Amino acid sequence: MSTFFVILIGQILVNNYVMCQFYGICPFLGVSKKVDTATGMGLAVTFVITVASFVTWLLQQLLNMAGLQYLQTIVFILVIAVLVQVVETALKKLSPSLYQALGVYLPLITTNCVVLAVAQKNIDVGYGLLESTLCGCCSALGFTLALVLLAGIRERMEESEMPAWMQGFPGALIMSGLMAIAFMGFGGLI
Amino acid sequence: MQHNLAITPSPHVRSGATTRRIMQDVCIALAPAGIASVILFGGHAAVIIAVCVLTCVLTEYVYQRLMNQRVTAGDWSAVVTGLLLAYNIPANAPIWIPIVGSVFAILIVKQLFGGIGSNFMNPALTARAVLFVSWSSIMTAYPNTVFMTGGVDTVSSATPLAALGKVFTGAEGASLADVGLADLFLGNCAGVLGETCKLALILGGIYLFIRKVIDWRIPVCMIGTVAVMYLLTSGFNAELTLKELLSGGLMLGAIFMATDYATSPQTNLGRIIFGVGCGLLLFVIRAYASYPEGCSFAILFMNVCSPLIDRWTAPTPFGEVKQHG
Amino acid sequence: MAKKATVGKTFFNGLVTENPTFTLMLGMCPTLGVTTAAWNGIYMGLATTFVLVCSNLFISLLRKIIPDKVRIPCYIIVIASFVTMVDLFMQAFMPDMRAILGSYIPLIVVNCIIFARAESFAAKNGPHLALADGLGMGLGFTISITCLAAIREIIGSGKFFGMEILPGYEPMAIMTKVPGGFITLGIMMILVNAAKKAITRRRAARKEAAA
């Protein structure tokens, strides 16, 4: 139970992949203009990362058995790309409404480095299958939290008198920086 | 009058109250704590307060001049930021600390986003966090007060928070009697400039409440939540709880910083959520994280959340049909 | 237009006009993640440049063979192979730097600059242009992140390329942490945009004067 909490709090707040470690910045800045789209992207990412953590852990065992550890990067990224494709196709068939909501974001997930980073972290830390999946899910929830929070701020800022040269990326970067300061308070929580 | 603080069209009670009027009220409310800090920590406290206020106003003035904006540096809001920042700095800090902090607060946290009312995080608190993370050894070297052995030139070995933390975790040799209730209340304890004298802060809070500048929900919910959490986790130890409430930056934060209009929710329900959230985070950080005081980080984190809280608690527009089932 | 000028133009385009960091805003994770010291920026930039040049060249050479439908997995395999080469090379010959850059080296594989250039440039142009584009983009990336890293290093630890340059300076530690990265890049972007605007305005003024 305590490992569960360590992973949960650790991945969502203390070691938040976006706010504390600089992973997944591109989608974080790119898809955070509206709260609704940010939520959709977050859900899609959560789904893919959770499944990817599960699958890559199993594959790593195969690689270990075959002594092919150096192929890790290639195998993992291929699996993730295929997985994203599978999820997209499956969603289209099984739940067209969810597909409609998430469809646009799914292809983008392949190049979200949180997916690969979590998969490699699971192996480096030496988590078991269950812990890896949980870690994946919590990391993705942390990503979603940061994304939705930034989207909320950016939506609010649209109504304010922000100077023209702050619009878009520069403003989003400075907002993220200030947000990251707030996240620093969780240091040492676990 | 162009720069009213209110950013949403909800029916605010403060009709007719200008920014300048409100900010002047906040300054009056902050005055007792400032006077107390000079009595407690001596002349250097006054120097830090003056440097902070001057740098804040000057930065705002210079920026607005350079950017060809309407100069609003005279609206007293920069003075409030300066005062709050000064109250968050230890009295014996070198003079460049308040200067760097003030420039950061006004330039990056406030003016880059469009000035007053547009910032999403409290400028003074953000600057304090930046100083705290960057120069933690300076920012945590809390001096003793003039009335304590050694005087202002000596750095305190244990803040009330640290002592209480030991009691909370049940460390050996730690007892509640180490921290005197009267000392805590009157401010005769180590800490940053303005947070020590709770009497002055509470007086200021009452003044703001009577003048209807602040809403009761955020401070009451925040302090209440901290109290409940300490009561629950310490086995209903009322003395520990009371002392925890009176130590650290809780009073200063809850009364003056969490209630900042621009960075807290606009709706009543939102304010309750905001206050409870601040209290919970403060408790968690104080009790379990590596930083001794969680007040600033707790409020900053809830600042970040407040656009979303507003969004979720916004009243349904008039005339919309509620959907059932 | 002569062939040579085009190669030069493509190179310059990547280096300045369409600088990956400040104009295309691609590859943000390593840009922010490793730029706590100037040397890290240089090594990260060169590693990325190597992968970018090789993958651009390869994909350009194979562009008529790769079927359109499976092009994405093909690109991924090409890119991932070069990334693995760089990773193993660094592990063998510069383990210290590999330890500092950490997982950002294997993550070059998902660096969107490389993927974007493969898809939008290398797949459509000949090998010599693809090579010039890869080199220009790669060096543009290297220079940008090294500048960012140098600024963060000077303010955040009082050093320049690892040398103490400001005796008695109290380093502002937050600059080498996450918030410092975001805020520095944001401010640099504001300045670069302002400079760009000033240049365009001056060019327009000159054109007007000439006409």
Side-chain angles (χ1 to χ4, degrees), chain B:
Chain B
M1 274 300 288
Q2 257 185 15
H3 284 261
N4 268 338
L5 272 171
I7 56 153
T8 57
S10 48
H12 288 287
V13 198
R14 322 168 243 293
S15 51
T18 61
T19 306
R20 178 187 269 250
R21 186 77 233 130
I22 293 172
M23 290 301 160
Q24 279 171 347
D25 268 340
V26 178
C27 287
I28 295 171
L30 280 168
I35 296 165
S37 73
V38 178
I39 297 171
L40 289 165
F41 295 107
H44 206 258
V47 175
I48 289 197
I49 295 176
V51 169
C52 272
V53 172
L54 280 178
T55 319
C56 280
V57 176
L58 197 69
T59 312
E60 184 149 308
Y61 178 79
V62 170
Y63 173 86
Q64 288 175 331
R65 262 295 154 91
L66 285 179
M67 292 291 149
N68 291 322
Q69 287 177 357
R70 216 171 64 87
V71 175
T72 59
D75 67 4
W76 287 71
S77 70
V79 177
V80 170
T81 304
L83 282 176
L84 286 176
L85 178 62
Y87 288 5
N88 275 299
I89 294 174
N92 54 356
I95 217 71
W96 52 268
I97 285 268
I99 296 179
V100 173
S102 305
V103 172
F104 189 91
I106 295 293
L107 203 61
I108 294 184
V109 190
K110 187 176 165 195
Q111 290 300 339
L112 278 189
F113 293 101
I116 186 163
S118 298
N119 51 308
F120 69 95
M121 272 163 76
N122 186 308
L125 269 185
T126 317
R128 183 241 157 111
V130 167
L131 295 175
F132 190 81
V133 174
S134 297
W135 297 286
S136 56
S137 57
I138 299 175
M139 290 297 284
T140 52
Y142 304 121
N144 285 319
T145 62
V146 209
F147 309 107
M148 291 160 84
T149 41
V152 190
D153 294 329
T154 52
V155 171
S156 161
S157 51
T159 61
L161 263 185
L164 289 173
K166 277 186 191 153
V167 178
F168 181 69
T169 52
E172 252 177 82
S175 101
L176 268 178
D178 294 347
V179 189
L181 199 56
D183 281 346
L184 275 182
F185 192 65
L186 295 173
N188 190 22
C189 52
V192 293
L193 261 186
E195 73 178 13
T196 56
C197 185
K198 313 304 173 311
L199 173 67
L201 292 170
I202 293 171
L203 281 179
I206 293 172
Y207 174 77
L208 286 183
F209 181 67
I210 292 173
R211 299 278 296 168
K212 293 205 167 80
V213 173
I214 59 169
D215 187 69
W216 60 270
R217 288 180 183 83
I218 292 174
V220 168
C221 290
M222 183 172 172
I223 297 170
T225 309
V226 176
V228 168
M229 290 312 289
Y230 268 106
L231 277 178
L232 288 179
T233 50
S234 67
F236 294 94
N237 185 338
E239 195 188 351
L240 173 76
T241 306
L242 185 61
K243 284 180 176 172
E244 281 282 358
L245 290 185
L246 289 175
S247 52
L250 174 58
M251 288 295 159
L252 179 64
I255 295 171
F256 290 100
M257 297 197 279
T259 50
D260 180 7
Y261 295 154
T263 59
S264 60
Q266 313 279 330
T267 58
N268 286 342
L269 178 61
R271 285 181 177 148
I272 292 172
I273 298 174
F274 184 90
V276 172
C278 283
L280 273 180
L281 286 172
L282 181 141
F283 168 75
V284 167
I285 297 176
R286 220 184 237 190
Y288 304 110
S290 58
Y291 291 125
E293 172 56 311
C295 188
S296 40
F297 288 109
I299 297 176
L300 286 177
F301 192 82
M302 293 313 287
N303 282 169
V304 170
C305 299
S306 66
L308 284 184
I309 298 178
D310 256 341
R311 190 186 153 94
W312 290 329
T313 57
T316 347
F318 183 69
E320 192 166 297
V321 181
K322 235 185 185 173
Q323 286 188 339
H324 291 282

Side-chain angles (χ1 to χ4, degrees), chain C residues 119-162:
Chain C
E119 171 86 4
S120 67
F121 196 91
K124 294 177 192 146
N125 290 288
H128 58 289
L129 283 180
L131 198 69
D133 180 72
L135 207 58
M137 282 285 165
L139 291 181
F141 178 69
T142 310
I143 293 172
S144 321
I145 68 170
T146 310
C147 286
L148 175 65
I151 295 175
R152 287 178 70 188
E153 193 185 2
I154 292 173
I155 307 180
S157 46
K159 291 178 184 165
F160 184 65
F161 283 95

Side-chain angles (χ1 to χ4, degrees), chain A residues 8-145:
Chain A
L8 183 81
I9 304 289
Q11 295 305 314
I12 294 182
L13 295 177
V14 185
N15 297 318
N16 187 297
Y17 266 97
V18 185
M19 290 281 93
C20 308
Q21 305 186 57
F22 285 134
Y23 290 105
I25 307 289
C26 295
F28 174 66
L29 294 175
V31 205
S32 55
K33 286 201 186 92
K34 288 269 167 288
V35 173
D36 296 331
T37 47
T39 318
M41 177 69 170
L43 287 178
V45 168
T46 309
F47 187 73
V48 171
I49 293 188
T50 312
V51 181
S53 303
F54 183 83
V55 176
T56 50
W57 189 88
L58 290 176
L59 274 170
Q60 180 69 27
Q61 310 312 311
L62 279 181
L63 288 179
N64 284 347
M65 265 188 264
L68 292 171
Q69 283 92 338
Y70 62 90
L71 283 180
Q72 195 197 45
T73 310
I74 300 183
V75 171
F76 278 18
I77 188 66
L78 265 181
V79 168
I80 291 166
V82 170
L83 199 67
V84 171
Q85 198 68 56
V86 169
V87 168
E88 202 180 339
T89 325
L91 268 188
K92 212 189 236 168
K93 283 263 157 60
L94 296 175
S95 165
S97 57
L98 193 61
Y99 175 78
Q100 282 239 299
L102 303 183
V104 241
Y105 310 116
L106 285 168
L108 285 174
I109 297 173
T110 314
T111 50
N112 183 340
C113 49
V114 177
V115 191
L116 192 58
V118 175
Q120 289 187 328
K121 185 205 154 133
N122 288 335
I123 307 302
D124 291 344
V125 178
Y127 281 145
L129 183 58
L130 197 65
E131 289 157 323
S132 296
T133 316
L134 181 69
C135 176
C137 182
C138 293
S139 308
L141 288 177
F143 173 80
T144 311
L145 174 72

Side-chain angles (χ1 to χ4, degrees), chain A residues 18-26 28-29 70-71 73-74 77-78 81 110-113 116-117 120 165-166 169-170 172-174 176-178 180-181 184, chain C residues 25-29 32-33 73 76-77 80-81 83-84 87-88 103-104 106-107 109-110 112 115 152 174 177-179 181-183 185-187 189-190 193:
Chain A
V18 185
M19 290 281 93
C20 308
Q21 305 186 57
F22 285 134
Y23 290 105
I25 307 289
C26 295
F28 174 66
L29 294 175
Y70 62 90
L71 283 180
T73 310
I74 300 183
I77 188 66
L78 265 181
T110 314
T111 50
N112 183 340
C113 49
L116 192 58
Q120 289 187 328
W165 37 266
M166 275 284 283
F169 271 93
L173 277 167
I174 294 179
S176 323
L178 297 183
I181 296 176
M184 291 195 88
Chain C
M25 323 228 180
L26 294 173
M28 284 293 145
C29 301
L32 292 162
I76 290 180
I77 292 180
S81 312
V83 171
T84 309
D87 193 9
L88 294 177
S103 66
Y104 286 104
L107 287 180
V109 97
V110 279
C112 16
F115 210 80
R152 287 178 70 188
I174 203 165
K177 299 197 165 107
V178 177
F182 278 121
I183 294 174
L185 185 62
I187 292 175
M189 221 166 247
I190 291 174
N193 287 346

Side-chain angles (χ1 to χ4, degrees), chain C residues 42-211:
Chain C
I42 292 204
Y43 278 102
M44 186 71 214
L46 291 182
T48 311
T49 308
F50 171 79
V51 177
L52 192 53
V53 168
C54 294
S55 70
N56 253 9
L57 182 65
F58 240 75
I59 288 166
S60 169
L61 285 172
L62 296 174
R63 70 185 189 281
K64 289 189 182 125
I65 306 168
I66 297 177
D68 198 46
K69 279 208 167 142
V70 291
R71 68 182 197 286
I72 304 240
C74 293
Y75 296 164
I76 290 180
I77 292 180
V78 171
I79 296 168
S81 312
F82 286 115
V83 171
T84 309
M85 277 163 65
V86 172
D87 193 9
L88 294 177
F89 176 83
M90 287 188 84
Q91 275 176 20
F93 295 106
M94 31 183 125
D96 297 344
M97 194 37 87
R98 171 62 176 74
I100 293 173
L101 299 180
S103 66
Y104 286 104
I105 293 290
L107 287 180
I108 295 177
V109 97
V110 279
N111 187 324
C112 16
I113 303 178
I114 296 171
F115 210 80
R117 292 330 282 177
E119 171 86 4
S120 67
F121 196 91
K124 294 177 192 146
N125 290 288
H128 58 289
L129 283 180
L131 198 69
D133 180 72
L135 207 58
M137 282 285 165
L139 291 181
F141 178 69
T142 310
I143 293 172
S144 321
I145 68 170
T146 310
C147 286
L148 175 65
I151 295 175
R152 287 178 70 188
E153 193 185 2
I154 292 173
I155 307 180
S157 46
K159 291 178 184 165
F160 184 65
F161 283 95
M163 295 173 295
E164 296 277 355
I165 50 159
L166 297 164
Y169 170 72
E170 295 266 4
M172 188 173 179
I174 203 165
M175 289 297 277
T176 57
K177 299 197 165 107
V178 177
F182 278 121
I183 294 174
T184 317
L185 185 62
I187 292 175
M188 275 175 85
M189 221 166 247
I190 291 174
L191 297 178
V192 168
N193 287 346
K196 263 190 208 152
K197 222 177 190 176
I199 291 172
T200 351
R201 206 178 295 148
R202 191 173 298 170
R203 266 199 201 139
R206 204 180 293 160
K207 230 177 221 169
E208 223 164 79

